[in-house]
């Protein structure tokens, strides 16, 4: 069973459209994240949720809106897609929060291509 | 802001040799460090972690070394195998900023059979 699963794996869409990426984890973790990986493989955190509450919200356009219906799910909705949004988006989860560090567990990514 | 960087973007090694991947971090408050392996088309996979109260930790064929004085982290892979070919990332986190990790830019390791 996949621990962190995200769908879809590939997403091709046109500029201006609205799309969502879904993420689910079955690890019982309290904290979930969205990371963006650009074409140079650089991983940058976008959002972090702990028990459905937003903890981290890096400088991300407000076209990106995360939603956490429960602590096992963290979805990412993107409005008015732009060419620069093309990237691989990774969902991750961890046990830790605050000073209780623990590793991130990543999904296999969603490759978003905006044309 | 935070910066975690790698000295070499690519590394090629012969199968059976040892590999060393280096990483520099800038936040002196960082107290937890992780190495990840990312294969093509997959998400980063946890390899090994180390806390700042240690300077060395060993796993299966891997060793992580931490030098807090110069803010340097390294990953040593013994007897490198073709399956080790991947992009390797270091990441660090500081207690004062919670479990927020900052990733380095990655090193692409190629193992030559």
């Amino acid at each position: 069973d996949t621990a962190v699963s995200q769908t879809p794996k590939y997403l091709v869409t046109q500029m201006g459209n609205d799309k969502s990426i879904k993420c689910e984890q079955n690890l019982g973790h309290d904290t979930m994240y969205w990371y963006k990986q650009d074409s140079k493989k650089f991983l940058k955190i976008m959002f972090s949720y702990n028990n459905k509450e937003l903890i981290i919200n890096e400088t991300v356009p407000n076209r990106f809106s995360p939603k956490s219906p429960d602590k096992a799910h963290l979805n990412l909705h993107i409005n008015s897609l732009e060419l620069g949004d093309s990237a691989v988006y990774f969902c991750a989860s961890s046990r830790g929060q605050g000073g209780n560090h623990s590793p991130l567990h990543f999904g296999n990514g969603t490759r978003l291509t905006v044309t | 802001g935070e910066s975690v960087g790698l000295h070499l973007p690519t590394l090629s090694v012969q199968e059976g040799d040892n590999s060393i991947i280096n990483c520099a971090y800038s936040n002196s408050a960082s107290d937890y460090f992780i190495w990840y392996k990312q294969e093509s088309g997959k998400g980063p996979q946890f390899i090994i972690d180390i806390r700042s109260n240690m300077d060395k930790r060993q796993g299966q064929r891997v060793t992580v070394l931490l030098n807090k004085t110069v803010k340097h982290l390294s990953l040593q892979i013994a007897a490198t195998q073709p399956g080790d070919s991947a992009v390797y990332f270091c990441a660090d986190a500081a207690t004062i900023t919670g479990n927020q990790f900052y990733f380095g830019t990655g090193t692409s390791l190629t193992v030559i059979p």
Side-chain angles (χ1 to χ4, degrees):
Chain A
D1 287 341
T2 305
V4 181
S5 60
Q6 49 183 113
T7 56
K9 186 168 176 64
Y10 300 97
L11 185 52
V12 181
T13 188
Q14 291 184 325
M15 286 174 55
N17 285 348
D18 304 338
K19 290 293 178 185
S20 292
I21 307 172
K22 295 185 177 181
C23 179
E24 176 182 5
Q25 54 95 4
N26 62 5
L27 296 166
H29 289 166
D30 290 326
T31 310
M32 295 186 72
Y33 312 77
W34 278 107
Y35 277 81
K36 179 180 180 180
Q37 187 173 48
D38 63 21
S39 58
K40 297 181 180 178
K41 298 288 190 182
F42 184 68
L43 274 164
K44 183 174 170 57
I45 189 168
M46 300 174 68
F47 302 101
S48 169
Y49 268 72
N50 178 262
N51 270 322
K52 304 192 297 176
E53 291 191 15
L54 181 65
I55 302 175
I56 297 169
N57 183 354
E58 291 289 303
T59 307
V60 176
N62 58 14
R63 298 181 294 104
F64 291 79
S65 54
K67 290 211 171 25
S68 182
D70 55 62
K71 74 173 191 177
H73 296 83
L74 181 62
N75 304 322
L76 184 65
H77 189 76
I78 315 170
N79 290 327
S80 304
L81 278 155
E82 300 177 356
L83 293 176
D85 297 333
S86 295
V88 181
Y89 292 84
F90 286 99
C91 178
S93 71
S94 74
R95 257 190 309 111
Q97 61 130 352
N100 182 21
H101 295 309
S102 64
L104 302 175
H105 295 254
F106 284 88
N108 280 325
T110 296
R111 181 174 293 276
L112 172 65
T113 304
V114 183
T115 61
Chain B
E2 177 69 36
S3 79
V4 181
L6 293 175
H7 294 314
L8 293 173
T10 61
L11 178 65
S12 294
V13 298
Q14 289 290 138
E15 181 177 358
D17 286 352
N18 296 335
S19 303
I20 299 176
I21 302 172
N22 295 304
C23 179
Y25 63 96
S26 61
N27 185 1
S28 56
S30 292
D31 53 10
Y32 182 53
F33 306 86
I34 301 182
W35 281 101
Y36 282 91
K37 173 186 180 183
Q38 186 178 19
E39 296 174 281
S40 180
K42 295 185 178 180
Q45 295 173 284
F46 170 83
I47 301 173
I48 191 167
D49 59 359
I50 188 168
R51 297 185 188 277
S52 59
N53 59 353
M54 302 173 69
D55 52 23
K56 180 179 180 179
R57 191 164 187 223
Q58 288 184 293
Q60 187 177 9
R61 284 201 305 119
V62 295
T63 300
V64 56
L65 298 177
L66 174 62
N67 185 331
K68 295 181 289 294
T69 302
V70 296
K71 299 195 197 63
H72 185 268
L73 191 69
S74 69
L75 177 70
Q76 300 178 359
I77 305 173
T80 314
Q81 302 169 359
D84 295 328
S85 294
V87 177
Y88 290 80
F89 294 94
C90 66
D92 70 324
T95 297
I96 59 173
T97 54
N99 214 38
Q100 182 172 351
F101 286 92
Y102 293 93
F103 282 78
T105 51
T107 291
S108 177
L109 174 66
T110 301
V111 181
I112 304 166

